[in-house]
Amino acid sequence: MSINNKKVVVVGGSSGIGYATAAMAKKNGADVVIASRPGQRLESAAKALGIKAVAADVTSDEAVENLFRETGPVDHVVVTAAVLRTGPIKTLAIADAKATMESKFWGAWRVARFSTINAGGSLTIVSGFLSVRPRAGSAIVGAANGALESLVKALAIELAPVRVNAVSPGMIDTPIRAAMAEDARRALLKQLADALPVKRVGLADDIALPIIGFMENGFATGSVLFLDGGGSIA
Ligand SMILES: NC(=O)c1ccc[n+]([C@@H]2O[C@H](COP(=O)([O-])OP(=O)(O)OC[C@H]3O[C@@H](n4cnc5c(N)ncnc54)[C@H](OP(=O)(O)O)[C@@H]3O)[C@@H](O)[C@H]2O)c1
């Protein structure tokens, strides 16, 4: 099933995996809309891609409802939006743990709640490797990812014939780590790359590719694809 002329909304499309997905969908002929929080980042991304942007903060019920009121029914929706606050359970403020869930889990829930997806279309949620390869200090993110991976299976039943899937990336080099000092970021990515069978970390396009695949593959629903350069077996 080609996505040529299909309407695609990428929530989190201003950066990283979402941006790469929007660019790839556009290249494949789709009519693409990106959404993220209001601001310059969203506007610059839309300009660079030559597509429409709608400002929508996924932590707001009203904003997500407005987004899909504005787009109307669509064929494919992708959710990559998230800002994660992490730390050890004994020191991470409860408010920060809740903010992570609010953004990553409830954000995706709101998108599923308020979007209208045409029959045979798809919803793809990006989760992440911490659901199956937990790390000390990131329990809240692993929990959010695990919840999303369960959610897509339930929604694949409930929203059928709309198809619902998740892509769970390993370590991907995106602006998500922009707050780190550049030297430390490079050192971390090199260390992680050396430990992987593929000897590199992922690129945003590595994850955009299977997201487009989930849109195009009419047999895919209730699936969680772990794509991690072999991280889960290393
Ligand atoms: N990169 C990795 O190594 C990795 C690994 C595993 C899982 N993941 C997951 O993959 C997803 C995408 O990550 P990425 O690496 O592409 O990150 P990124 O480059 O930081 O992109 C995150 C996107 O989310 C948007 N966003 C953040 N908060 C939002 C909100 N409240 N409402 C609407 N949009 C919001 C941002 O746009 P604005 O700033 O314009 O709002 C941006 O477009 C995330 O869920 C992340 O947890 C990433």
Side-chain angles (χ1 to χ4, degrees):
M1 281 198 309
S2 161
I3 59 168
N4 189 35
N5 291 325
K6 297 292 184 188
K7 190 155 187 181
V8 173
V9 178
V10 182
V11 185
S14 71
S15 175
I17 295 166
Y19 183 94
T21 302
M24 206 175 277
K26 187 187 175 202
K27 201 171 159 196
N28 289 3
D31 173 11
V32 185
V33 174
I34 55 170
S36 71
R37 293 169 295 183
Q40 192 56 47
R41 182 144 92 145
L42 177 62
E43 284 163 30
S44 303
K47 195 170 167 199
L49 290 168
I51 60 180
K52 185 179 170 185
V54 179
D57 186 326
V58 296
T59 63
S60 157
D61 297 352
E62 196 187 2
V64 178
E65 191 170 12
N66 284 341
L67 163 64
F68 289 105
R69 192 176 296 131
E70 192 162 335
T71 63
V74 299
D75 296 297
H76 302 285
V77 175
V78 179
V79 193
T80 65
V83 169
L84 309 171
R85 296 186 197 162
T86 60
I89 190 166
K90 296 297 181 188
T91 53
L92 182 69
I94 295 281
D96 286 339
K98 284 185 173 177
T100 294
M101 288 302 275
E102 194 60 53
S103 166
K104 180 123 193 181
F105 176 77
W106 289 108
W109 177 283
R110 288 184 184 94
V111 171
R113 170 70 178 78
F114 292 115
S115 56
T116 301
I117 302 175
N118 296 324
S122 71
L123 169 64
T124 305
I125 293 173
V126 172
S127 57
F129 67 98
L130 288 167
S131 64
V132 290
R133 285 297 292 248
R135 289 221 179 118
S138 295
I140 191 63
V141 181
N145 290 338
L148 288 171
E149 289 162 10
S150 293
L151 181 69
V152 297
K153 294 179 188 181
L155 293 184
I157 301 291
E158 191 171 318
L159 299 180
V162 171
R163 299 175 294 103
V164 187
N165 299 288
V167 176
S168 176
M171 197 55 73
I172 312 297
D173 186 7
T174 70
I176 204 168
R177 282 171 214 91
M180 284 180 79
E182 185 56 14
D183 283 357
R185 195 183 71 84
R186 282 187 185 284
L188 172 71
L189 292 179
K190 178 167 184 336
Q191 183 197 340
L192 294 167
D194 288 347
L196 290 175
V198 296
K199 298 296 170 207
R200 69 170 178 87
V201 294
L203 303 174
D205 274 356
D206 294 325
I207 305 304
L209 204 56
I211 294 174
I212 301 290
F214 274 147
M215 294 181 202
E216 292 181 335
N217 188 336
F219 197 56
T221 197
S223 295
V224 179
L225 177 70
F226 295 93
L227 203 70
D228 60 3
S232 59
I233 49 166

